[in-house]
Amino acid sequence: MKKICQNKDVITASLIFIAGITICIAMSVNLILPLTLGGICYFLVALKRGYSFGSVLKFFAEGMKESLVVIEILMLVGVLSGIWRLDGTIGIFVHYSMKVITPGFFILATFLLCCFFSYALGTCFGVAGTLGIILIAVAKAGDVNVLMTAGAVLSGGYFGDRCSPVSSSAVLTAFVTKTELSQNMKLMFKTMIVPMIITTAMYGILSFTHPLKRVDTGIESMLSEHFRLTPLLMLPVIVLILLPLLKVDIKLAIVAGAVIAVVLAITIQGRSLSEAIDAMIFGYHPSNPNLAGIFGGGGMITMLNISGWILISCGYTGIIKRTDLFKDMTGVMVKGCNKIGRSAMTLITGTVFSGLFCSQSVAILMNAMMLRDAYPKTGGNDQELALDIENLTVLSATWVPWGAALMAAFSAMDVPAKGVMYAFYVFVLPIYYLLTKRFPYAKLMCYNNGGAKVAVVTNV
């Protein structure tokens, strides 16, 4: 209780921020406003605790600077989504997909394809901003619910975002918990077997009840009228998939995919360079309203909103990190772990941090920082913390409607965020993981810790 009283300024600031988020969502107001309010609240708390105005401003600027790497990728994906619409890359995939994908298994195929590509790319957002926009176009053309399709894309995207060896979240989790990435991956694969079977079955049922309908000749005619359809148009996607497998940085891979698309737009589709630039910045907007409904959108402009959210949230995260506003909360974490269990505490705090900071990475960092001392004090260790973060915090970040983990992917696909209700994997795995820690058979999943074999499951 004493620790809570000492931190009532931080708690008050957080409650004001959460209230602002809630009100703005209810009133459909842009979330830039409550995020700015949150930044001001934490700024004032830092001033109250004795930091100078100049120092706090510097911390804020440093936090914003750290977000630039993420914003660069967001903008590049926006560029890619616009130029791929203009050059016919999405068109050729729609054309072939309708011939190859079995109508009754479209949504299931979407999930499995995204699982494969997310494991290769290591990022959900990279998949949503590339393969996702293609599959959404296929869904629109085939009269399939785009919310279901987007949910399947997000599920498949988080398959790799959680456990790929090139996933930034997996690498970050291993680093902050001082564990081995390879060992974490083995445990993650063990804990996802049953959730994958359940999720696959759910998408199989959804596919059967919502099949891809035959594309009418009108859409095929529109494709033929507006694009020259040739297999060469698949080149930007092939390059984007292959380069990361060859250890090329994802940003360079995206740039390469965009440059090739510009060349194809000019040489094959007969577009001008100015049209290509316009599509990359403002998106592709064909004059035919029917074609626009399927292929319209994209461009850097679609990423401005989410980029603003990330910029501001990383700004006040910089203040929190440099001023240790949450440093006295360890005792509270220990009590919480003893009362409700370590894993349940990790899920709750991870979701709260994702909501406060709109960032999966910050939620991982904050959870590791606040719970690393609490785990050994309640019978756990770093390996268990790492697995709990991967199975709970990483996925629960998508449960926050205004969080970057959700909004970045859905913004790229230009689909409402409520499509997350069909992202079965991000719900099934955390729930299953928590439930299995209540049963004896879960103790069969063990890991090595300091040479000794220790059960994953002790004290939920």
Side-chain angles (χ1 to χ4, degrees):
M1 182 62 68
K2 182 179 179 181
K3 293 293 185 184
I4 293 177
C5 292
Q6 290 175 344
N7 290 275
K8 63 181 180 180
D9 51 358
V10 176
I11 295 173
T12 300
S14 299
L15 290 175
I16 292 173
F17 174 49
I18 293 171
I21 288 282
T22 304
I23 292 171
C24 287
I25 289 177
M27 299 179 65
S28 300
V29 176
N30 194 306
L31 294 181
I32 288 289
L33 294 177
L35 288 171
T36 302
L37 176 63
I40 293 173
C41 287
Y42 292 120
F43 199 103
L44 293 175
V45 171
L47 292 178
K48 177 180 176 294
R49 295 196 174 189
Y51 291 91
S52 68
F53 184 89
S55 295
V56 180
L57 191 62
K58 180 182 177 182
F59 301 155
F60 190 84
E62 289 175 350
M64 293 178 70
K65 185 177 180 180
E66 292 179 2
S67 72
L68 295 180
V69 175
V70 178
I71 292 175
E72 284 177 8
I73 296 177
L74 285 171
M75 290 301 175
L76 285 173
V77 170
V79 165
L80 203 65
S81 66
I83 192 62
W84 277 14
R85 286 170 162 86
L86 178 74
D87 79 324
T89 293
I90 294 179
I92 194 65
F93 268 88
V94 171
H95 175 72
Y96 285 128
S97 294
M98 291 304 191
K99 298 179 182 300
V100 176
I101 296 177
T102 303
F105 292 96
F106 170 69
I107 296 177
L108 175 60
T110 294
F111 170 62
L112 296 177
L113 279 171
C114 290
C115 284
F116 173 78
F117 288 117
S118 68
Y119 190 79
L121 298 176
T123 167
C124 173
F125 183 63
V127 171
T130 53
L131 185 61
I133 59 177
I134 293 171
L135 291 168
I136 290 297
V138 173
K140 289 180 179 178
D143 196 23
V144 172
N145 190 310
V146 293
L147 297 180
M148 295 178 182
T149 306
V153 171
L154 190 75
S155 284
Y158 266 89
F159 172 87
D161 200 297
R162 167 183 168 271
C163 66
S164 169
V166 293
S167 165
S168 60
S169 65
V171 173
L172 177 62
T173 299
F175 175 76
V176 298
T177 58
K178 309 303 179 186
T179 54
E180 292 293 331
L181 177 60
S182 58
Q183 184 64 18
N184 291 347
M185 289 180 61
K186 290 178 183 178
L187 292 169
M188 283 189 279
F189 274 105
K190 284 183 179 180
T191 54
M192 78 178 186
I193 294 173
V194 174
M196 273 296 294
I197 294 173
I198 295 173
T199 302
T200 300
M202 292 174 76
Y203 282 124
I205 295 171
L206 203 63
S207 295
F208 181 75
T209 55
H210 296 79
L212 187 71
K213 297 177 182 177
R214 182 185 298 275
V215 179
D216 59 42
T217 55
I219 293 178
E220 289 291 336
S221 298
M222 285 191 295
L223 282 172
S224 300
E225 290 174 6
H226 288 79
F227 302 106
R228 287 186 58 195
L229 300 177
T230 165
L232 283 175
L233 297 175
M234 300 176 70
L235 189 58
V237 177
I238 294 172
V239 168
L240 188 63
I241 293 170
L242 289 179
L243 290 184
L245 294 177
L246 298 174
K247 309 302 182 184
V248 176
D249 184 82
I250 185 66
K251 288 189 289 185
L252 293 178
I254 293 174
V255 169
V259 170
I260 293 172
V262 170
V263 173
L264 294 176
I266 295 173
T267 58
I268 294 180
Q269 306 301 347
R271 304 289 188 175
S272 66
L273 180 60
S274 61
E275 286 179 300
I277 293 174
D278 186 74
M280 288 188 287
I281 297 174
F282 300 105
Y284 176 53
H285 302 287
S287 56
N288 186 313
N290 293 323
L291 193 69
I294 300 173
F295 297 100
M300 290 175 61
I301 195 169
T302 60
M303 297 299 161
L304 292 179
N305 202 34
I306 184 64
S307 295
W309 298 0
I310 293 174
L311 193 66
I312 295 172
S313 61
C314 284
Y316 62 73
T317 299
I319 295 175
I320 292 169
K321 287 168 60 179
R322 292 296 300 274
T323 58
D324 289 327
L325 294 185
F326 290 95
K327 68 178 180 179
D328 295 327
M329 299 296 288
T330 301
V332 177
M333 296 297 105
V334 171
K335 290 181 181 179
C337 288
N338 281 324
K339 189 172 183 64
I340 65 173
R342 291 184 296 276
S343 297
M345 195 67 187
T346 300
L347 175 62
I348 293 171
T349 55
T351 307
V352 170
F353 290 140
S354 293
L356 284 176
F357 308 121
C358 304
S359 168
Q360 178 195 78
S361 297
V362 175
I364 292 171
L365 288 168
M366 293 295 293
N367 252 5
M369 181 179 70
M370 297 188 68
L371 290 169
R372 195 171 180 200
D373 290 336
Y375 264 61
K377 289 181 179 179
T378 56
N381 53 44
D382 291 342
Q383 186 69 77
E384 185 186 359
L385 175 60
L387 188 60
D388 284 356
I389 288 176
E390 289 286 9
N391 286 341
L392 302 170
T393 302
V394 170
L395 297 179
S396 71
T398 63
W399 300 0
V400 180
W402 58 88
L406 175 64
M407 289 306 302
F410 278 82
S411 294
M413 294 185 286
D414 197 21
V415 175
K418 61 183 179 180
V420 71
M421 71 179 74
Y422 296 106
F424 302 141
Y425 184 72
V426 302
F427 297 105
V428 170
L429 195 152
I431 294 171
Y432 171 83
Y433 179 69
L434 283 176
L435 289 176
T436 54
K437 298 189 83 173
R438 297 280 185 186
F439 297 95
Y441 74 84
K443 295 180 183 293
L444 296 175
M445 296 184 297
C446 299
Y447 56 80
N448 293 316
N449 183 51
K453 228 174 187 185
V454 183
V456 168
V457 188
T458 56
N459 178 0
V460 179

